[in-house]
Amino acid sequence: RDLPSLRRRQRQMCIRDSPYIIHVLILALLFGTLAMSWDLAWGYAGIFTLGHAASFGVGAYTSALLSMRMNISPWITMFIGGTISALFGLMIGAPCLRLRGAPYIAIATLAFSEVARITCCNLVEITRGELGLWGIPPFPDIGPITFGGGVRVPYYYLVLIIFFVSYLWLKYIVNSKLGLGFKAIATSEDAAASIGINIARVKLLAFAISNFIAGLCGAFYAHYVLILTPAIMGSTYMIDIITMTLLGGTGTLIGPVIGSFVVTLSLEYLRAYGLARFLLYGLILIIIVIFVPEGVIIRGVRILEKLRESIK
């Protein structure tokens, strides 16, 4: 009589204790947070930047190098990495955000991103270039909580904390006066300027906040995988970020997180098909973009509204 419940408990324990499943969940939450930070720039402030992956990489390399070369605790370098990424975003944003039109901003930020990646490739004495920066220390233990030795559960709870804190912070921002400024600029810069909004200042704040979270995610990634290559600043990561955000729905914050889980789990599920999984992945994304262009979240909300209206 108790056999079904016993098997159910065994399956739950296998899922809970499986390093592979925990690893996939960590990546889904991490890139969901990264996509959520990009959604602040594009979905709310209307800044279509293609340099977000570079900020992710800058935070990762900054935290890793400071902890390796200067023996600073990763708990400290993680926030330093986020701060340096925010400054990097301000450096990029100062000239780029003066441009009008999403295509021009996209091209300019993509150029800065490529400059950062190529610079990282050529600073072999510091970053080891394409050979990869290895020997990155993990997060130090906190009492009985151990981060070394291939244990993944503490990293899962840490990325969960990063996700929730980032979400609550961004939710507070988008519902504040500053968030209203973001939305006004995204709707019409001329109209926003006419009511006294400082366009350059508000755009730079959006850029700095989103890049800070991107750098924080990059720092976590560095001390989790313990090896870095300049590829993390490349277009592949940027395409994934955009895909997750558009799939879940822009201007929702939680939508990119759902998109991250869909993309991450889909790629892992399709791994059994070898290289053909990228073709299947692309086909699925094309179908979704054609039939659900506004994103899963927005489409779901609209369906619920129609159902509620039909019931009334």
Side-chain angles (χ1 to χ4, degrees):
R1 194 187 315 172
D2 296 334
L3 186 59
S5 61
L6 178 61
R7 288 178 177 173
R8 186 166 55 253
R9 285 197 299 270
Q10 288 175 342
R11 285 196 298 269
Q12 291 173 350
M13 290 177 64
C14 289
I15 292 173
R16 184 188 60 192
D17 298 333
S18 171
Y20 171 71
I21 293 176
I22 294 174
H23 172 68
V24 173
L25 292 175
I26 289 172
L27 292 182
L29 283 168
L30 177 65
F31 285 99
T33 307
L34 182 61
M36 184 170 60
S37 67
W38 187 77
D39 187 38
L40 177 72
W42 168 239
Y44 287 92
I47 305 170
F48 192 79
T49 170
L50 294 180
H52 218 60
S55 297
F56 178 76
V58 167
Y61 272 96
T62 299
S63 183
L65 289 171
L66 286 176
S67 60
M68 290 174 65
R69 305 284 193 259
M70 303 182 67
N71 294 321
I72 302 176
S73 172
W75 294 114
I76 299 174
T77 61
M78 181 169 64
F79 293 98
I80 296 176
T83 303
I84 296 298
S85 291
L87 294 175
F88 176 76
L90 291 175
M91 182 184 70
I92 295 176
C96 292
L97 296 181
R98 295 181 181 276
L99 301 172
R100 299 292 294 268
Y104 303 108
I105 295 175
I107 292 171
T109 51
L110 179 62
F112 273 103
S113 179
E114 278 299 297
V115 168
R117 186 186 66 82
I118 293 171
T119 302
C120 189
C121 288
N122 287 281
L123 292 177
V124 181
E125 297 82 5
I126 300 174
T127 65
R128 300 189 78 247
E130 295 288 353
L131 295 175
L133 184 66
W134 55 274
I136 302 171
F139 288 103
D141 299 342
I142 302 177
I145 303 174
T146 303
F147 286 89
V151 180
R152 299 186 187 275
V153 175
Y155 285 97
Y156 170 74
Y157 287 111
L158 178 58
V159 76
L160 199 63
I161 292 171
I162 292 173
F163 161 70
F164 276 116
V165 172
S166 299
Y167 174 76
L168 293 175
W169 184 34
L170 292 178
K171 192 70 174 177
Y172 171 78
I173 289 173
V174 298
N175 290 327
S176 66
K177 184 179 178 180
L178 180 60
L180 292 176
F182 292 160
K183 297 171 186 176
I185 291 173
T187 303
S188 173
E189 290 190 16
D190 294 329
S194 68
I195 59 175
I197 295 176
N198 189 326
I199 304 295
R201 177 178 173 273
V202 173
K203 277 188 171 183
L204 284 176
L205 280 174
F207 224 60
I209 294 168
S210 64
N211 279 271
F212 174 81
I213 295 177
L216 197 68
C217 292
F220 172 88
Y221 182 80
H223 297 288
Y224 173 60
V225 299
L226 306 182
I227 185 169
L228 293 175
T229 63
I232 64 173
M233 301 183 185
S235 58
T236 302
Y237 281 79
M238 194 65 239
I239 291 172
D240 288 340
I241 294 169
I242 295 173
T243 302
M244 293 168 184
T245 306
L246 296 180
L247 179 62
T250 59
T252 60
L253 290 183
I254 199 63
V257 181
I258 296 175
S260 173
F261 273 87
V262 172
V263 170
T264 305
L265 295 177
S266 297
L267 284 176
E268 292 300 323
Y269 180 77
L270 296 173
R271 189 178 293 275
Y273 295 93
L275 294 178
R277 74 182 187 274
F278 294 108
L279 180 61
L280 294 172
Y281 172 59
L283 181 62
I284 292 170
L285 289 180
I286 290 172
I287 293 172
I288 291 174
V289 169
I290 291 174
F291 293 101
V292 196
E294 69 273 37
V296 176
I297 291 295
I298 297 176
R299 173 62 68 87
V301 170
R302 288 177 179 174
I303 291 174
L304 290 175
E305 289 178 350
K306 289 181 180 179
L307 288 174
R308 186 171 58 185
E309 290 176 359
S310 63
I311 291 173
K312 289 181 179 179

